[in-house]
C-alpha cells in the first residue's frame, strides 16, 4: 500500500496580504523602538542604571566617568535637581562588587577641575539595579578654588602674635615639668616663633595661591579648547602621515628612475654635450659678426615693411643671400672665347 504525499499549504502569494502587512509593520516598529532604546536592552545595553542623591553637583556633568577603585566602570547619564538635592543618574557596565550599602563621592579628576563619580562598594549582597544611593552615603566634591579661598580667609583671621604669646606662656608654665614635656613645649614655642616670623610670607604665598587657583578656574574653558585644538592638530598630522610617506616614497622612486635614465643614456649625452660645447664656442667666436648683423638688419626690416604696405606685389633683394655660381666661358669652334 502506497502513501499519498500530503499537499503543502498555499504559496506565499496566496496568503492574506493584510496579515502579512500587519506582521511586517509590527516588526519594523519593534526594531525602531529597540534602536532608540538600545542602551536599555539586557544584552547589548550599556549596563545597569543607578542613581545617587547629592547635596550639590560639584561640577559633575553628563558623560563623566564612573569609577570603582580608580577603574572606569561606566558613565554619568544625567545630573538634575530633584527637590532639595541633586539626582545623579549613571550606568555601570560589567559586574563590579557593589554591595547594598555602596556609597558614592564626587572627586577631582584633573587639575583643571574635571570630576568623576567614585563608587565605594560596601555591605553584603548586591545593589539592585535602578536603586538610589541616599544622601547619607554620598560625599559631594570640595572645589579646589573654594579650598584655597577658605584657607586664605582662615589664616588671615589668626592673630599670630597672640598665638606666639600663648605658646610662650605655655612653655614658661611647664618649665618645671619633666624633660620630655619641656622638650615638647619648647618645640611648640619654636614653631610659634617660626610661624610668627614667616607670617607675611605665608600670607603672600596663600594670596598668590588663591590668585593662581582663580585664574585656573577662569581659564578652564581656554585650557579645554587648547587641549581639543592640540588633539585636532595631532589627528590631522596622523591623517597626513600616509600622504607624506607616499611623497617620500615617490621621490625615492623618481631619483632611482633619473639615475637609471642618466646611466642608460650616458653614451649619447656625452657626445651631445661636446657638440653643444663646440656650437657655443663657434657662436662666441662670431659674436661681433652676429651683433653687426642684428644692427644692419633693423634698416632692412623697416624698408621691407614699407615695401609690403605699397601694394599687392613687391620685389626684394638680399645681397649675398645665395653664393654666386661661377660660369665657365663658352668657346667657338676655332678655340676662341665667345
Amino acid at each position: 500500500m502506497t502513501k499519498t504525499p500530503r499537499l503543502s499549504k498555499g504559496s506565499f502569494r496566496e496568503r492574506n496580504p493584510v496579515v502579512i502587512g500587519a506582521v511586517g509593520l509590527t516588526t519594523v516598529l519593534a526594531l525602531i523602538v529597540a534602536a532608540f532604546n538600545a542602551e536599555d536592552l539586557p544584552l547589548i545595553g550599556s549596563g545597569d542604571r543607578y542613581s545617587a542623591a547629592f547635596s550639590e553637583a560639584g561640577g559633575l556633568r553628563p558623560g563623566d566617568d564612573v569609577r570603582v577603585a580608580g577603574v572606569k566602570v561606566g558613565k554619568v547619564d544625567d545630573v538634575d535637581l530633584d527637590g532639595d538635592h541633586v539626582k545623579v543618574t549613571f550606568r555601570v557596565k560589567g559586574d563590579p562588587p557593589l554591595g547594598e550599602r555602596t556609597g558614592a563621592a564626587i572627586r577631582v579628576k584633573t587639575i583643571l577641575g574635571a570630576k568623576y563619580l567614585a563608587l565605594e562598594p560596601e555591605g553584603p549582597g548586591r545593589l539592585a539595579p535602578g536603586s538610589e544611593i541616599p544622601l547619607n552615603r554620598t560625599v559631594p566634591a570640595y572645589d579646589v578654588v573654594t579650598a584655597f579661598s577658605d584657607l586664605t580667609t582662615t589664616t588671615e583671621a589668626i592673630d599670630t602674635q597672640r598665638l606666639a604669646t600663648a605658646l610662650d606662656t605655655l612653655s614658661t608654665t611647664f618649665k618645671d615639668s619633666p624633660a620630655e614635656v619641656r622638650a615638647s613645649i619648647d618645640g611648640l614655642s619654636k614653631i610659634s616663633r617660626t610661624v610668627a616670623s614667616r607670617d607675611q610670607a605665608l600670607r603672600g604665598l596663600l594670596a598668590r595661591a588663591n590668585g593662581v587657583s582663580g585664574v585656573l578656574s577662569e581659564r578652564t574653558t581656554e585650557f579645554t579648547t587648547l587641549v581639543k585644538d592640540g588633539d585636532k592638530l595631532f589627528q590631522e598630522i596622523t591623517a597626513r602621515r600616509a600622504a607624506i610617506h607616499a611623497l617620500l616614497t615617490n621621490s625615492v622612486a623618481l631619483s632611482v628612475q633619473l639615475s637609471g635614465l642618466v646611466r642608460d643614456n650616458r653614451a649619447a649625452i656625452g657626445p651631445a654635450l661636446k657638440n653643444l660645447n663646440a656650437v657655443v664656442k663657434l657662436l662666441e667666436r662670431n659674436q661681433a659678426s652676429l651683433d653687426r648683423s642684428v644692427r644692419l638688419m633693423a634698416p632692412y626690416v623697416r624698408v621691407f615693411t614699407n615695401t609690403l604696405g605699397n601694394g599687392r606685389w613687391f620685389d626684394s633683394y638680399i645681397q649675398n643671400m645665395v653664393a654666386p655660381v661661377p660660369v665657365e666661358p663658352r668657346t667657338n669652334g676655332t678655340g676662341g672665347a665667345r
Side-chain angles (χ1 to χ4, degrees):
M1 180 176 180
T2 60
K3 295 182 178 180
T4 304
R6 182 180 298 176
L7 297 177
S8 61
K9 295 182 179 180
S11 63
F12 186 78
R13 296 179 181 177
E14 297 176 357
R15 299 189 179 185
N16 190 349
V18 177
V19 177
I20 295 174
V23 173
L25 184 60
T26 303
T27 304
V28 172
L29 291 176
L31 292 176
I32 293 175
V33 173
F36 280 100
N37 298 274
E39 294 185 351
D40 295 328
L41 296 178
L43 295 179
I44 62 174
S46 58
D48 297 329
R49 177 176 290 180
Y50 300 92
S51 62
F54 287 90
S55 59
E56 55 99 11
L60 192 68
R61 299 178 180 178
D64 289 343
D65 294 346
V66 177
R67 300 189 178 189
V68 175
V71 179
K72 182 179 178 181
V73 296
K75 68 176 183 177
V76 176
D77 285 344
D78 190 21
V79 179
D80 196 8
L81 185 63
D82 186 13
D84 60 346
H85 64 275
V86 176
K87 182 177 181 181
V88 178
T89 306
F90 59 94
R91 292 179 180 270
V92 175
K93 296 181 181 180
D95 191 18
L98 301 179
E100 295 178 352
R101 296 191 55 80
T102 297
I106 300 176
R107 295 179 179 174
V108 179
K109 181 180 179 182
T110 64
I111 193 174
L112 299 180
K115 306 294 194 304
Y116 71 93
L117 181 63
L119 298 180
E120 301 173 354
E122 186 177 352
R126 177 175 174 79
L127 189 65
S131 59
E132 180 176 301
I133 302 175
L135 276 172
N136 57 2
R137 298 209 306 266
T138 60
V139 179
Y142 192 65
D143 200 348
V144 177
V145 178
T146 306
F148 277 114
S149 299
D150 293 344
L151 179 60
T152 304
T153 304
T154 303
T155 53
E156 287 178 352
I158 297 176
D159 190 343
T160 54
Q161 295 296 332
R162 290 186 178 181
L163 178 61
T165 302
L167 292 177
D168 288 338
T169 303
L170 184 64
S171 177
T172 303
T173 303
F174 284 90
K175 65 180 181 179
D176 296 329
S177 300
E180 293 81 2
V181 177
R182 288 200 307 271
S184 301
I185 300 303
D186 289 339
L188 290 175
S189 178
K190 292 178 181 178
I191 291 175
S192 65
R193 293 191 184 95
T194 302
V195 172
S197 62
R198 297 290 188 270
D199 178 61
Q200 294 299 327
L202 287 175
R203 290 177 184 273
L205 176 62
L206 293 175
R208 290 183 177 85
N210 188 20
V212 171
S213 62
V215 172
L216 290 177
S217 177
E218 294 174 357
R219 298 292 187 270
T220 300
T221 304
E222 287 79 359
F223 281 124
T224 304
T225 304
L226 178 62
V227 172
K228 290 182 179 180
D229 293 341
D231 182 64
K232 291 180 181 179
L233 175 61
F234 288 127
Q235 289 179 359
E236 187 64 23
I237 293 175
T238 303
R240 298 297 177 88
R241 180 181 179 183
I244 296 174
H245 177 72
L247 177 62
L248 295 177
T249 304
N250 294 332
S251 300
V252 173
L254 177 62
S255 64
V256 172
Q257 294 294 331
L258 291 177
S259 299
L261 178 64
V262 173
R263 184 173 57 254
D264 295 339
N265 297 276
R266 184 174 297 171
I269 293 175
L273 293 177
K274 290 181 180 179
N275 295 332
L276 179 61
N277 189 20
V279 172
V280 172
K281 289 182 179 179
L282 178 62
L283 293 175
E284 288 178 352
R285 288 196 302 268
N286 296 275
Q287 183 176 1
S289 299
L290 291 174
D291 293 340
R292 186 171 181 274
S293 298
V294 172
R295 289 194 303 271
L296 295 177
M297 192 69 179
Y300 173 77
V301 171
R302 183 168 59 253
V303 174
F304 187 70
T305 303
N306 294 332
T307 302
L308 291 178
N310 293 333
R312 297 177 58 190
W313 310 100
F314 63 91
D315 294 330
S316 179
Y317 171 74
I318 301 177
Q319 185 177 3
N320 296 330
M321 185 66 180
V322 179
V325 179
V327 180
E328 295 181 359
R330 299 176 64 183
T331 60
N332 54 16
T334 61
R338 207 174 49 165

